[in-house]
Amino acid sequence: LISVSYSMLGRAEFFLKSQPVRVEDKQFTDAVTLQITVKNEDEDQVIPALISALDGKCDAEKIEEVYMAWEI
């Protein structure tokens, strides 16, 4: 899960479009929570790059590990 402020949402979405991730869900409350799926092999690169792209203005939390088909 990635939590960002409304003001950072566009920046987060722009960044995620260029990464090997799937945005599975978006929830809008006092902040925006994006549920993303990242391959294990890409996790160590994508998450720090996202945090950097958002100048640290987000919270990232790994909620579960799943096994699934990944379309190329």
Side-chain angles (χ1 to χ4, degrees):
L1 292 176
I2 308 294
S3 296
V4 297
S5 66
Y6 281 86
S7 63
M8 298 299 283
L9 178 59
R11 211 162 148 185
E13 289 179 320
F14 180 79
F15 175 82
L16 291 171
K17 285 181 185 179
S18 68
Q19 298 299 307
V21 303
R22 291 185 197 165
V23 178
E24 305 288 349
D25 189 28
K26 283 185 225 173
Q27 295 182 359
F28 298 89
T29 57
D30 58 324
V32 182
T33 302
L34 304 167
Q35 182 176 342
I36 65 170
T37 302
V38 181
K39 289 182 183 179
N40 266 350
E41 61 201 47
D42 297 327
E43 180 182 359
D44 291 340
Q45 174 191 353
V46 171
I47 301 304
L50 172 63
I51 293 169
S52 177
L54 299 177
D55 300 326
K57 297 178 182 174
C58 68
D59 293 317
E61 177 185 349
K62 184 175 183 176
I63 55 172
E64 69 180 311
E65 190 169 306
V66 296
Y67 296 93
M68 60 192 290
W70 191 273
E71 295 179 24
I72 297 175

